[in-house]
């Protein structure tokens, strides 16, 4: 049977190679944003205590907001700048970050993202003296992270969060694979940083594997990082795959790493601000809460492991990347995450080998793309939609959190919420078409379960909003225009008093 999986209904193969991106670090990317009119400088003094986040939240209530570079943080003597809303809900900034055309539709971006994420280029080692991050290097007692401006985002937050727009390296003691994850990090003191990893995340699995061997887990974290590394740190790859190789594939060249001072892990040479340290079993401090991507304070304050910081590297006047967690469209986990997650879901379904899948979309307004995945398919046999629903629900890219998995036919664009609502309202019969999966992978951040200890067990609704397969032939025809009438009207569009182009229609009566 023919097998095709794609985000786009026009081309069914993942896009081919790319030549990579034109920039090589955060500063060069910021310069590109500036040239593209996607950057707003904020030069007036702004307090890191709730004010920076308030400005970011208010500016991002519109989907079209620019990236915000805070250049004057009240009381700061280190010359640090803070970049917020780096990507946010902007598909255009996502495209600028990965070298795609910003004018592509979301579906086309998902399709092309599959292509650029399929390439692997391993990291490059550069000598320490060539690493911009080594402009300043401090060890031990010379380090005082409290001297750098660190945002407190929400009034109920349990502390200042130095790590939100971060990347965190850990290694597997079994395979040596370096994982790159983005995990929140609360500042406890000059050389003490809390590290919150949710169960099942690679950073947590690596940490526990070291502890099982009776050893502390080495950690390297960058708090000022370019968008490609930041985005990949939040994607799910296999336990043996390194996000570094995927980042290199997108950049079109290996990610530059250099030797650390105190740990055996490497550090990212082009980053702005990097710490090295270790996390020891039993060394915990009270962490959280943090106003999260769900739009709520996720979980109660609880003991979490602490990074004991042993070295600090930074560029002069470093630029820290701060990721506001909030309801869409103000969440930093926005357009990029929706696009990349959808591409990963399609990759997983293709790898499994299920036929007929056409597109997928993890809508960003659904708790940063974690709440809902819509998958579209060309129904080919009885049970096909149920199979696609179950596989989508539990594939590695979609399994975490996702509560609603909705299958639609291939005439419905999964990226268009209006069309999905239409399918749900006309093709789905709730008593027949909804199945529930229980005890699925979730997170302590989900407020819909009240007892904290139950929260890590989720549930999922599999919603078949395809035309019922057993009645496919008799299912009422969709109302569509006659092609010839459409063409006649389109030709007279401006004469009829409408400006611009007539709407593009691709399917017609009788198709
Ligand atoms: C800004 C941001 C903050 C995040 N915070 C956390 C966090 O505190 N803990 C966590 O487990 N995952 C967090 N995530 C999600 C993980 O980065 C994501 O699940 C990723 O897949 C983890 O990498 P891994 O699959 O290699 O474990 C965050 C993601 C982003 C983008
Ligand atoms: Mn990983």
């Amino acid at each position: 049977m023919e097998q095709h999986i794609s985000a786009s209904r026009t081309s069914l193969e993942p896009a081919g190679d790319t030549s990579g991106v034109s920039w090589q670090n955060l500063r060069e990317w910021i310069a590109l944003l500036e040239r593209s009119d996607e950057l707003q400088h904020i030069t007036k003094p702004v307090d890191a205590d709730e004010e920076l986040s308030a400005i970011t939240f208010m500016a991002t209530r519109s989907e079209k907001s620019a990236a915000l570079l805070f250049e004057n943080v009240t009381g700061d003597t280190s010359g640090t700048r803070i970049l917020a809303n780096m990507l946010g809900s902007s598909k255009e900034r996502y495209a600028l970050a990965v070298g795609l055309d910003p004018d592509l539709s979301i579906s086309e971006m998902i399709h092309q993202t599959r292509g650029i994420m399929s390439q692997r280029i391993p990291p490059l080692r550069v000598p320490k003296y060539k690493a911009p991050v080594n402009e300043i290097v401090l060890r031990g007692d010379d380090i005082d992270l409290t001297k750098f401006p660190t945002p407190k985002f929400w009034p109920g937050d349990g502390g200042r969060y130095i790590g939100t727009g971060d990347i965190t390296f850990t290694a597997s003691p079994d395979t040596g694979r370096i994982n790159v994850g983005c995990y929140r990090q609360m500042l406890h003191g000059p050389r003490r940083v809390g590290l919150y990893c949710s169960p099942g995340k690679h950073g947590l699995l690596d940490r526990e594997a070291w502890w099982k061997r009776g050893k502390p887990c080495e950690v390297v974290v960058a708090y000022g990082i370019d968008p490609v590394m930041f985005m990949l740190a939040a994607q799910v790859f296999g336990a043996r795959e390194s996000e570094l190789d995927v980042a290199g594939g997108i950049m079109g060249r290996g990610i530059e790493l250099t030797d650390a001072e105190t740990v055996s892990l490497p550090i990212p040479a082009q980053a702005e601000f990097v710490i090295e340290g270790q996390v020891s079993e039993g060394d915990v401090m009270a962490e959280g809460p943090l106003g999260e991507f769900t739009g709520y304070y996720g979980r109660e304050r609880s003991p979490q492991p602490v990074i004991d910081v042993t070295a600090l590297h930074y560029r002069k006047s470093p630029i820290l990347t701060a990721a506001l967690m909030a309801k869409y469209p103000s969440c930093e986990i926005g357009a990029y995450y929706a696009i990349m997650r959808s591409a990963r879901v399609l990759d997983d379904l293709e790898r499994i080998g299920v036929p007929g899948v056409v597109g997928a979309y993890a809508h960003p307004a659904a708790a940063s793309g974690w709440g809902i995945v819509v998958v579209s398919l060309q129904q080919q046999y009885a049970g096909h939609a149920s199979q696609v629903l179950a596989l989508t629900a539990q594939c590695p890219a979609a399994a975490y959190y996702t509560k609603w998995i909705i299958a639609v036919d291939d005439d419905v664009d999964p990226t268009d919420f209006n069309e999905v609502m239409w399918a749900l309202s006309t093709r789905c019969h709730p008593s027949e078409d909804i199945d529930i999966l229980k005890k699925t992978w979730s997170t302590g951040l989900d407020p819909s379960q009240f007892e904290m200890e139950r929260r890590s067990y989720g549930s999922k609704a599999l919603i078949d909003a395809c035309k019922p397969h057993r009645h496919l032939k008799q299912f009422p025809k969709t109302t569509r225009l006659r092609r010839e009438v459409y063409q006649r009207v389109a030709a007279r569009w401006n004469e009829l008093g409408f400006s611009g182009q007539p709407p593009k229609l691709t399917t017609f009566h009788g198709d």
Side-chain angles (χ1 to χ4, degrees):
M1 186 178 296
E2 189 196 10
Q3 220 177 274
H4 49 233
I5 293 201
S6 164
S8 148
R9 273 174 283 166
T10 47
S11 43
L12 298 172
E13 294 290 309
D17 282 5
T18 170
S19 52
V21 300
S22 60
W23 51 271
Q24 71 159 355
N25 57 33
L26 180 63
R27 292 184 192 205
E28 290 181 15
W29 185 65
I30 289 175
L32 174 61
L33 290 187
E34 183 110 71
R35 291 196 298 279
S36 312
D37 214 12
E38 287 278 348
L39 182 73
Q40 186 170 338
H41 295 265
I42 298 183
T43 53
K44 299 280 180 226
V46 169
D47 201 321
D49 198 353
E50 294 185 31
E51 199 174 68
L52 184 147
S53 53
I55 294 167
T56 307
F57 183 72
M58 289 162 73
T60 54
R61 296 318 293 153
S62 140
E63 287 179 340
K64 287 285 165 212
S65 53
L68 305 172
L69 187 60
F70 292 93
E71 298 182 354
N72 183 351
V73 184
T74 312
D76 174 50
T77 51
S78 64
T80 303
R81 293 162 287 168
I82 297 183
L83 181 67
N85 198 33
M86 166 159 69
L87 297 152
S89 55
S90 166
K91 79 173 174 59
E92 288 74 21
R93 286 203 293 286
Y94 166 71
L96 287 175
V98 297
L100 297 181
D101 174 359
D103 291 331
L104 292 177
S105 70
I106 296 269
S107 298
E108 289 162 338
M109 282 192 190
I110 294 169
H111 171 62
Q112 297 208 5
T113 296
R114 293 190 65 206
I116 58 178
M117 279 204 300
S118 68
Q119 303 167 124
R120 300 286 182 273
I121 301 181
L124 291 174
R125 282 288 175 141
V126 298
K128 283 183 177 181
Y129 74 90
K130 280 198 173 163
V133 74
N134 282 336
E135 274 180 1
I136 297 169
V137 181
L138 302 174
R139 283 170 171 247
D141 288 349
D142 290 339
I143 301 166
D144 186 355
L145 295 174
T146 64
K147 285 192 176 149
F148 298 89
T150 301
K152 181 184 177 209
F153 290 92
W154 295 100
D157 285 358
R160 296 179 177 276
Y161 274 81
I162 189 165
T164 50
D166 66 68
I167 60 165
T168 305
F169 291 2
T170 50
S172 157
D174 303 313
T175 63
R177 178 280 285 119
I178 296 174
N179 190 69
V180 188
C182 175
Y183 312 112
R184 79 185 198 197
Q185 293 169 28
M186 190 175 113
L187 189 59
H188 289 300
R191 289 182 304 285
R192 302 274 287 166
V193 179
L195 172 62
Y196 171 72
C197 288
S198 194
K201 302 297 165 105
H202 290 149
L204 185 143
L205 298 176
D206 284 351
R207 181 165 92 195
E208 291 189 339
W210 285 104
W211 292 350
K212 224 170 157 186
R213 295 177 177 217
K215 293 187 175 153
C217 174
E218 291 184 343
V219 178
V220 160
V221 190
Y223 297 125
I225 194 64
D226 71 75
V228 166
M229 289 295 289
F230 170 65
M231 293 188 288
L232 285 175
Q235 303 308 315
V236 179
F237 290 90
R240 285 170 178 272
E241 283 181 289
S242 178
E243 289 84 357
L244 287 168
D245 299 358
V246 189
I250 291 180
M251 301 283 283
R253 57 180 177 272
I255 300 299
E256 289 184 10
L257 301 176
T258 193
D259 287 347
E261 295 293 309
T262 59
V263 295
S264 53
L265 283 166
I267 66 170
Q270 293 284 347
E272 294 280 327
F273 193 99
V274 169
I275 61 161
E276 305 171 17
Q278 54 182 35
V279 182
S280 302
E281 187 168 16
D283 182 10
V284 292
M285 288 178 78
E287 194 267 358
L290 171 71
E292 272 288 357
F293 70 93
T294 52
Y296 303 91
Y297 298 100
R299 49 177 296 138
E300 291 155 15
R301 197 170 179 78
S302 65
Q304 293 295 332
V306 178
I307 305 170
D308 213 31
V309 179
T310 48
L312 167 65
H313 308 242
Y314 59 99
R315 295 187 69 162
K316 288 181 187 143
S317 294
I319 303 173
L320 303 186
T321 38
L324 178 70
M325 296 294 100
K327 266 197 289 189
Y328 185 80
S330 293
C331 197
E332 188 62 84
I333 314 175
Y336 91 82
Y337 193 75
I339 293 167
M340 283 190 155
R341 190 181 204 218
S342 307
R344 292 299 291 154
V345 169
L346 291 167
D347 286 347
D348 282 349
L349 293 175
E350 180 171 78
R351 201 154 34 89
I352 294 166
V354 60
V357 175
V358 175
Y361 194 48
H363 284 264
S368 287
W370 269 308
I372 297 177
V373 173
V374 184
V375 57
S376 63
L377 71 146
Q378 187 185 29
Q379 292 191 76
Q380 294 172 352
Y381 47 89
H384 190 182
S386 294
Q387 182 191 18
V388 168
L389 277 167
L391 292 172
T392 304
Q394 295 288 26
C395 75
Y400 174 69
Y401 197 107
T402 317
K403 297 182 175 191
W404 310 99
I405 299 92
I406 303 169
V408 294
D409 293 296
D410 60 343
D411 64 332
V412 172
D413 176 356
T415 70
D416 183 337
F417 217 70
N418 291 342
E419 285 201 35
V420 175
M421 294 296 109
W422 172 63
L424 277 170
S425 305
T426 60
R427 299 181 182 184
C428 175
H429 200 71
S431 67
E432 304 272 305
D433 291 327
I434 302 180
D435 287 320
I436 304 287
L437 298 182
K438 295 185 182 171
K439 292 185 290 180
T440 53
W441 186 22
S442 188
T443 164
L445 302 183
D446 177 8
S448 70
Q449 288 254 45
F450 196 71
E451 295 98 351
M452 202 52 67
E453 60 282 4
R454 291 178 62 125
R455 280 193 178 177
S456 40
Y457 305 97
S459 66
K460 300 181 188 300
L462 312 185
I463 306 178
D464 181 357
C466 297
K467 295 174 190 168
H469 185 266
R470 71 179 90 234
H471 305 303
L472 260 188
K473 289 212 172 78
Q474 308 86 25
F475 199 80
K477 296 260 175 295
T478 303
T479 48
R480 295 194 176 111
L481 300 184
R482 198 183 295 283
R483 184 187 298 270
E484 176 262 316
V485 177
Y486 166 75
Q487 285 167 345
R488 212 187 312 146
V489 173
R492 297 174 60 205
W493 194 242
N494 299 131
E495 173 200 325
L496 290 166
F498 298 102
S499 56
Q501 295 297 312
K504 240 193 204 146
L505 299 184
T506 51
T507 50
F508 298 96
H509 180 74
D511 284 353

Short mmCIF file of all heavy atoms in Angstrom, two decimals, residues 327-358:
data_model
loop_
_atom_site.label_atom_id
_atom_site.label_comp_id
_atom_site.label_asym_id
_atom_site.label_seq_id
_atom_site.Cartn_x
_atom_site.Cartn_y
_atom_site.Cartn_z
N LYS A 327 -0.07 32.10 29.38
CA LYS A 327 -1.06 31.64 28.39
C LYS A 327 -0.68 32.17 27.01
O LYS A 327 -0.15 33.26 26.88
CB LYS A 327 -2.44 32.22 28.75
CG LYS A 327 -3.28 31.30 29.58
CD LYS A 327 -4.73 31.72 29.57
CE LYS A 327 -4.96 32.99 30.35
NZ LYS A 327 -6.38 33.30 30.54
N TYR A 328 -1.01 31.41 25.98
CA TYR A 328 -0.83 31.85 24.61
C TYR A 328 -1.58 33.18 24.40
O TYR A 328 -2.65 33.34 24.97
CB TYR A 328 -1.39 30.79 23.65
CG TYR A 328 -1.16 31.07 22.20
CD1 TYR A 328 0.07 30.80 21.62
CD2 TYR A 328 -2.17 31.63 21.42
CE1 TYR A 328 0.29 31.06 20.28
CE2 TYR A 328 -1.95 31.88 20.07
CZ TYR A 328 -0.72 31.61 19.51
OH TYR A 328 -0.50 31.87 18.18
N PRO A 329 -1.08 34.12 23.61
CA PRO A 329 0.16 34.06 22.83
C PRO A 329 1.39 34.60 23.56
O PRO A 329 2.39 34.89 22.92
CB PRO A 329 -0.18 34.95 21.62
CG PRO A 329 -1.16 35.95 22.14
CD PRO A 329 -1.91 35.30 23.26
N SER A 330 1.32 34.71 24.88
CA SER A 330 2.45 35.31 25.60
C SER A 330 3.52 34.30 26.00
O SER A 330 4.51 34.68 26.61
CB SER A 330 1.93 36.01 26.86
OG SER A 330 1.14 37.12 26.50
N CYS A 331 3.33 33.03 25.70
CA CYS A 331 4.29 32.02 26.15
C CYS A 331 5.43 31.89 25.15
O CYS A 331 5.20 31.86 23.94
CB CYS A 331 3.59 30.67 26.32
SG CYS A 331 4.56 29.52 27.30
N GLU A 332 6.63 31.77 25.69
CA GLU A 332 7.79 31.59 24.80
C GLU A 332 7.73 30.24 24.08
O GLU A 332 8.34 30.06 23.03
CB GLU A 332 9.08 31.73 25.62
CG GLU A 332 10.36 31.76 24.82
CD GLU A 332 10.44 32.93 23.85
OE1 GLU A 332 10.84 34.03 24.28
OE2 GLU A 332 10.11 32.73 22.67
N ILE A 333 7.01 29.29 24.67
CA ILE A 333 6.82 28.00 23.98
C ILE A 333 5.58 28.17 23.10
O ILE A 333 4.47 27.86 23.49
CB ILE A 333 6.62 26.84 24.97
CG1 ILE A 333 7.66 26.90 26.10
CG2 ILE A 333 6.71 25.49 24.25
CD1 ILE A 333 7.46 25.85 27.18
N GLY A 334 5.78 28.74 21.91
CA GLY A 334 4.65 29.16 21.08
C GLY A 334 4.72 28.55 19.69
O GLY A 334 4.68 27.33 19.52
N ALA A 335 4.86 29.44 18.68
CA ALA A 335 4.79 28.99 17.29
C ALA A 335 5.86 27.94 16.97
O ALA A 335 5.59 26.92 16.34
CB ALA A 335 4.95 30.18 16.35
N TYR A 336 7.09 28.20 17.43
CA TYR A 336 8.17 27.27 17.08
C TYR A 336 7.86 25.88 17.61
O TYR A 336 8.08 24.86 16.94
CB TYR A 336 9.51 27.77 17.64
CG TYR A 336 9.86 27.25 19.02
CD1 TYR A 336 10.41 25.98 19.19
CD2 TYR A 336 9.61 28.00 20.17
CE1 TYR A 336 10.71 25.49 20.45
CE2 TYR A 336 9.90 27.51 21.42
CZ TYR A 336 10.45 26.25 21.56
OH TYR A 336 10.72 25.76 22.80
N TYR A 337 7.33 25.84 18.84
CA TYR A 337 7.11 24.54 19.46
C TYR A 337 6.00 23.80 18.73
O TYR A 337 6.09 22.59 18.48
CB TYR A 337 6.80 24.69 20.95
CG TYR A 337 6.89 23.36 21.63
CD1 TYR A 337 8.12 22.78 21.89
CD2 TYR A 337 5.74 22.63 21.91
CE1 TYR A 337 8.21 21.52 22.44
CE2 TYR A 337 5.82 21.37 22.47
CZ TYR A 337 7.06 20.82 22.74
OH TYR A 337 7.15 19.56 23.27
N ALA A 338 4.95 24.53 18.39
CA ALA A 338 3.84 23.90 17.67
C ALA A 338 4.33 23.30 16.36
O ALA A 338 3.97 22.17 15.99
CB ALA A 338 2.75 24.94 17.42
N ILE A 339 5.16 24.04 15.65
CA ILE A 339 5.64 23.57 14.34
C ILE A 339 6.59 22.39 14.51
O ILE A 339 6.43 21.33 13.87
CB ILE A 339 6.33 24.73 13.58
CG1 ILE A 339 5.28 25.80 13.22
CG2 ILE A 339 7.05 24.22 12.33
CD1 ILE A 339 5.85 27.12 12.74
N MET A 340 7.56 22.52 15.41
CA MET A 340 8.54 21.44 15.55
C MET A 340 7.91 20.18 16.13
O MET A 340 8.22 19.06 15.73
CB MET A 340 9.70 21.88 16.43
CG MET A 340 10.66 22.80 15.71
SD MET A 340 12.14 23.05 16.72
CE MET A 340 13.33 23.44 15.43
N ARG A 341 7.01 20.37 17.09
CA ARG A 341 6.38 19.18 17.68
C ARG A 341 5.55 18.45 16.63
O ARG A 341 5.57 17.21 16.54
CB ARG A 341 5.50 19.56 18.87
CG ARG A 341 5.03 18.35 19.65
CD ARG A 341 4.14 18.70 20.81
NE ARG A 341 4.17 17.64 21.83
CZ ARG A 341 3.11 17.25 22.53
NH1 ARG A 341 1.94 17.82 22.36
NH2 ARG A 341 3.21 16.30 23.42
N SER A 342 4.84 19.21 15.81
CA SER A 342 4.02 18.59 14.76
C SER A 342 4.90 17.83 13.78
O SER A 342 4.56 16.72 13.35
CB SER A 342 3.23 19.67 14.02
OG SER A 342 2.51 20.45 14.94
N ALA A 343 6.04 18.42 13.45
CA ALA A 343 6.98 17.74 12.53
C ALA A 343 7.48 16.44 13.16
O ALA A 343 7.58 15.40 12.50
CB ALA A 343 8.15 18.67 12.20
N ARG A 344 7.78 16.48 14.46
CA ARG A 344 8.27 15.28 15.14
C ARG A 344 7.16 14.20 15.21
O ARG A 344 7.43 13.01 15.11
CB ARG A 344 8.75 15.60 16.56
CG ARG A 344 10.00 16.43 16.62
CD ARG A 344 11.17 15.74 15.98
NE ARG A 344 11.63 14.59 16.73
CZ ARG A 344 12.28 13.54 16.19
NH1 ARG A 344 12.53 13.50 14.91
NH2 ARG A 344 12.68 12.54 16.95
N VAL A 345 5.91 14.62 15.41
CA VAL A 345 4.80 13.66 15.44
C VAL A 345 4.72 12.95 14.08
O VAL A 345 4.61 11.71 14.00
CB VAL A 345 3.46 14.36 15.78
CG1 VAL A 345 2.28 13.43 15.54
CG2 VAL A 345 3.47 14.86 17.23
N LEU A 346 4.82 13.72 13.01
CA LEU A 346 4.76 13.11 11.66
C LEU A 346 5.95 12.19 11.43
O LEU A 346 5.81 11.12 10.83
CB LEU A 346 4.69 14.21 10.60
CG LEU A 346 3.36 14.98 10.59
CD1 LEU A 346 3.45 16.23 9.74
CD2 LEU A 346 2.22 14.09 10.08
N ASP A 347 7.13 12.57 11.93
CA ASP A 347 8.31 11.69 11.82
C ASP A 347 8.05 10.37 12.53
O ASP A 347 8.34 9.29 12.01
CB ASP A 347 9.55 12.34 12.46
CG ASP A 347 10.12 13.48 11.63
OD1 ASP A 347 9.74 13.62 10.45
OD2 ASP A 347 10.95 14.23 12.18
N ASP A 348 7.51 10.47 13.75
CA ASP A 348 7.25 9.24 14.52
C ASP A 348 6.26 8.35 13.79
O ASP A 348 6.44 7.13 13.70
CB ASP A 348 6.69 9.59 15.91
CG ASP A 348 7.78 10.06 16.88
OD1 ASP A 348 8.96 9.92 16.57
OD2 ASP A 348 7.40 10.58 17.96
N LEU A 349 5.18 8.94 13.28
CA LEU A 349 4.16 8.12 12.61
C LEU A 349 4.72 7.48 11.35
O LEU A 349 4.39 6.34 11.02
CB LEU A 349 2.93 8.99 12.29
CG LEU A 349 2.16 9.47 13.53
CD1 LEU A 349 1.04 10.42 13.13
CD2 LEU A 349 1.57 8.29 14.31
N GLU A 350 5.60 8.21 10.68
CA GLU A 350 6.20 7.62 9.49
C GLU A 350 7.10 6.45 9.86
O GLU A 350 7.11 5.41 9.20
CB GLU A 350 7.02 8.67 8.73
CG GLU A 350 7.65 8.09 7.48
CD GLU A 350 8.27 9.15 6.60
OE1 GLU A 350 9.38 9.62 6.93
OE2 GLU A 350 7.64 9.53 5.62
N ARG A 351 7.87 6.64 10.94
CA ARG A 351 8.78 5.58 11.39
C ARG A 351 7.99 4.32 11.77
O ARG A 351 8.37 3.21 11.46
CB ARG A 351 9.57 6.09 12.59
CG ARG A 351 10.84 5.38 12.87
CD ARG A 351 11.84 6.27 13.59
NE ARG A 351 11.23 7.23 14.50
CZ ARG A 351 10.96 6.99 15.78
NH1 ARG A 351 11.23 5.83 16.30
NH2 ARG A 351 10.41 7.92 16.53
N ILE A 352 6.86 4.52 12.41
CA ILE A 352 6.02 3.37 12.79
C ILE A 352 5.47 2.68 11.54
O ILE A 352 5.31 1.47 11.51
CB ILE A 352 4.87 3.83 13.71
CG1 ILE A 352 5.43 4.33 15.05
CG2 ILE A 352 3.87 2.71 13.95
CD1 ILE A 352 4.44 5.11 15.89
N GLY A 353 5.19 3.47 10.52
CA GLY A 353 4.76 2.88 9.26
C GLY A 353 3.27 2.89 9.02
O GLY A 353 2.77 2.14 8.18
N VAL A 354 2.53 3.72 9.74
CA VAL A 354 1.09 3.77 9.51
C VAL A 354 0.82 4.54 8.21
O VAL A 354 1.41 5.58 7.96
CB VAL A 354 0.37 4.42 10.72
CG1 VAL A 354 0.83 5.82 10.99
CG2 VAL A 354 -1.15 4.39 10.53
N PRO A 355 -0.03 4.00 7.35
CA PRO A 355 -0.27 4.67 6.06
C PRO A 355 -1.28 5.81 6.16
O PRO A 355 -2.03 5.90 7.15
CB PRO A 355 -0.85 3.55 5.20
CG PRO A 355 -1.54 2.66 6.17
CD PRO A 355 -0.76 2.73 7.45
N GLY A 356 -1.27 6.63 5.14
CA GLY A 356 -2.37 7.58 4.94
C GLY A 356 -2.35 8.85 5.75
O GLY A 356 -3.24 9.69 5.60
N VAL A 357 -1.34 9.03 6.60
CA VAL A 357 -1.33 10.26 7.41
C VAL A 357 -0.90 11.42 6.52
O VAL A 357 0.05 11.32 5.76
CB VAL A 357 -0.36 10.12 8.62
CG1 VAL A 357 -0.26 11.43 9.37
CG2 VAL A 357 -0.84 9.00 9.53
N VAL A 358 -1.63 12.51 6.62
CA VAL A 358 -1.39 13.64 5.73
C VAL A 358 -0.79 14.84 6.47
O VAL A 358 0.08 15.53 5.98
CB VAL A 358 -2.71 14.03 5.02
CG1 VAL A 358 -2.51 15.28 4.18
CG2 VAL A 358 -3.20 12.88 4.15
#
